[in-house]
Structure formats: structure tokens, C-alpha cells
Amino acid sequence: MTEERTLILVKPDGVATGHIGDVISRLERRRFTIEALKVVHATPEQLRKHYPQLVGRPFYPEVETYMLSGPIVAIIAAGTGIVEDFHKMAGVTKPQDAACGTIRGDYGRAWPDGSIRNVVHSSDSPETAENEIKIWFPEMQ
Ligand code: ADP
């Protein structure tokens, strides 16, 4: 395993319900390094770059509305195997299916409108992470 970086977003629901500190604590508890951290308001253009595989899907407008609904905290974190590790710490996409003890399993749940509000995003591969870091931290290039 090599040293790698991942891009984490505390999504608008995670910020609004007060889970920024917990996400940071979970990173620190596992001794991962926080390389950068900021509060951002996403733009539709940024989101289209971030979710290229979702843009054509019928639910994309809902994802866009959700991600524009409030501030986001963007984090670059680093450490050996962090992409896979943090993905496990986040849990699966639907909070109602996410294991207890994961971020999504602890702080998310199903809602009657069917929308998915799942607290955090994390990169799914080291290559994706580097692309996503460029989208959210353009000033660091
Ligand atoms: P993940 O965030 O677990 O990596 P995806 O990359 O598949 O999942 O999807 C990105 C985000 O788009 C999800 O976290 C969720 O916010 C939203 N999303 C995915 N699928 C759906 C869906 N069927 N309905 C509504 N929102 C969705």
C-alpha cells in the first residue's frame, strides 16, 4: 500500500446537523493527516465535474438541489490506504443500508420523499481523488 490522498466532502446535511467535528475526529482517531480543509458553497458547474457519471441520470436534479442547499466542508486527507479505509468508514450510499458505526449508518436514514441525504462524500479511487481535489481545491494546483 502506498501513501495516498482522498477528497472528503461533508455534505450540506452533515454540516447543517453538526457532524463536521465528528468526521474530523474519525480521521484523527485513525491518525490520518488533514492536508487542507475549507467551507465552500458548491456551484452547478463544480457539481457537474464532480459527478460526471450522474449528470444524465433522472435523479441528478435532486442531487444538484441537495448539494447546493447549504455550505459544504471540503477536506483533503492523506494516509496509507485512506481511499478504501475512509470509504468503509463512510458506509454504503443509502444510509438505511449503511452499517451502524459508519458515518452514514450513524447519522443518516431513509426519508419519505425517497431522497438520499448521506452526510459525506469520499473519493472511490486514488485517481478519482486527484481529479476531485482539482475541482474543490483549484488554488492548490
Ligand atoms: P457514493 O456517494 O456512495 O459514492 P454514487 O457515486 O453512486 O454514491 O452517487 C453519488 C451521490 O448521488 C450519492 O451519494 C447520493 O447523494 C446521490 N445519489 C446516488 N444515487 C441516487 C438515487 N438513486 N437517488 C437520489 N440520489 C442518488
Side-chain angles (χ1 to χ4, degrees):
M1 275 197 192
T2 53
E3 190 72 0
E4 58 192 31
R5 303 198 293 177
T6 195
L7 184 279
I8 296 164
L9 301 176
V10 185
K11 296 182 177 187
D13 60 321
V15 172
T17 52
H19 300 312
I20 303 167
D22 182 68
V23 173
I24 293 169
S25 289
R26 287 177 192 236
L27 285 164
E28 291 184 322
R29 274 189 340 223
R30 295 196 70 166
R31 310 277 306 273
F32 289 122
T33 306
I34 294 172
E35 291 194 343
L37 184 153
K38 67 178 176 184
V39 179
V40 287
H41 286 80
T43 66
E45 190 199 5
Q46 247 175 339
L47 293 172
R48 283 193 293 273
K49 286 188 192 157
H50 181 78
Y51 285 132
Q53 77 286 7
L54 297 186
V55 171
R57 305 289 293 275
F59 58 80
Y60 185 72
E62 187 187 298
V63 172
E64 190 181 81
T65 302
Y66 163 44
M67 294 296 284
L68 295 175
S69 67
I72 284 171
V73 170
I75 300 169
I76 303 173
T80 313
I82 192 169
V83 169
E84 196 184 331
D85 266 16
F86 193 85
H87 227 57
K88 282 192 221 149
M89 289 160 68
V92 298
T93 305
K94 288 185 181 172
Q96 64 268 38
D97 295 336
C100 297
T102 63
I103 297 167
R104 289 168 167 179
D106 285 351
Y107 301 131
R109 69 164 171 95
W111 294 94
D113 63 2
S115 66
I116 297 177
R117 284 166 237 158
N118 54 13
V119 191
V120 285
H121 162 84
S122 67
S123 310
D124 61 10
S125 73
E127 297 73 33
T128 310
E130 294 306 318
N131 284 333
E132 292 178 352
I133 286 168
K134 290 190 188 105
I135 297 167
W136 297 94
F137 290 89
E139 69 280 11
M140 288 185 67
Q141 307 315 312

